[in-house]
Amino acid sequence: GNPDLDPYKAWNFDATLEYYFAPEAVIQGGIFYKQIDDFIIDAEFENGTFNGVAFDEAVIPINGDEATVFGVELSYGQALSFLPAPFDGLLVNLNYTYTDAEGDVEGRTIPLPASAEHTFNAVLGYEKGPLSLRAAGAYRSSYLDELGSEPDEDRYIKPHFQVDLSAKYRVTSNVQLFGEIVNLNDATYT
């Protein structure tokens, strides 16, 4: 760590509209804006001294200067209870977020660390009686993870998509069986 770090300071604005077009259905849209001072990023340094300790190579968290974040969120969720049985237990949920985030650090303008430009989630589920099933897919685009000693040495995390499954069955009012498979498609995080 770095005991000399300043804490994040931010000013935020969020606005959301929701439209309930059916008893169990909603469409939502929103925008957000943030101005952040003293954001924190891990930076790689070579041949130096930190807190009295000499190093050849070290990753040290540092404060950035200012960052701005602008984004748009869209989502749709609906229980498909109008379908004939047994399909009346189906439900769907989709959401997407676009984020434009960048900041200044050490004379450079960079993407805000850990801020993916695109994120998307989709859930297909079934909920009826004692049974609850979910299949979820989650995607996020690449993002800056660590500042290198030179811009071409910055480390980015690659785009990621994973699928998760979960199932619940209520045996009695006090007993429920639960199972989950996380990262069914064995997506790597790199």
Side-chain angles (χ1 to χ4, degrees):
N2 181 351
D4 295 325
L5 288 174
D6 292 324
Y8 275 69
K9 292 181 234 80
W11 177 88
N12 305 318
F13 170 80
D14 293 273
T16 303
L17 289 174
E18 299 176 346
Y19 174 59
Y20 295 87
F21 60 93
E24 298 175 292
V26 64
I27 294 176
Q28 297 172 304
I31 60 170
F32 56 91
Y33 176 83
K34 294 182 183 192
Q35 184 171 336
I36 304 168
D37 292 327
D38 299 321
F39 67 93
I40 298 169
I41 182 167
D42 288 337
E44 183 180 298
F45 294 92
E46 295 177 1
N47 302 317
T49 303
F50 181 71
N51 286 340
V53 177
F55 60 83
D56 293 330
E57 186 176 305
V59 175
I60 302 168
I62 61 170
N63 282 110
D65 298 321
E66 281 189 357
T68 57
V69 180
F70 171 77
V72 177
E73 303 171 309
L74 303 170
S75 69
Y76 159 75
Q78 185 168 13
L80 306 178
S81 54
F82 58 86
L83 293 174
F87 304 108
D88 57 343
L90 288 173
L91 55 94
V92 64
N93 189 341
L94 306 169
N95 65 55
Y96 168 76
T97 302
Y98 167 79
T99 306
D100 179 19
E102 60 181 36
D104 296 320
V105 62
E106 298 189 340
R108 293 175 51 196
T109 298
I110 61 168
L112 192 63
S115 181
E117 186 174 17
H118 303 281
T119 57
F120 179 77
N121 298 290
V123 176
L124 179 61
Y126 187 83
E127 188 118 1
K128 190 169 182 182
L131 184 62
S132 176
L133 304 170
R134 298 284 187 280
Y139 169 82
R140 59 125 191 90
S141 59
S142 65
Y143 63 84
L144 177 64
D145 183 52
E146 182 181 286
L147 208 57
S149 53
E150 298 291 329
D152 61 344
E153 295 175 359
D154 291 351
R155 184 174 71 186
Y156 284 83
I157 301 297
K158 292 181 181 179
H160 182 81
F161 175 76
Q162 88 176 41
V163 176
D164 302 328
L165 301 176
S166 66
K168 297 178 192 174
Y169 186 80
R170 183 161 302 284
V171 179
T172 70
S173 60
N174 296 321
V175 177
Q176 177 176 287
L177 301 175
F178 176 77
E180 186 174 57
I181 300 173
V182 177
N183 199 9
L184 178 69
N185 57 324
D186 197 24
T188 58
Y189 182 81
T190 57

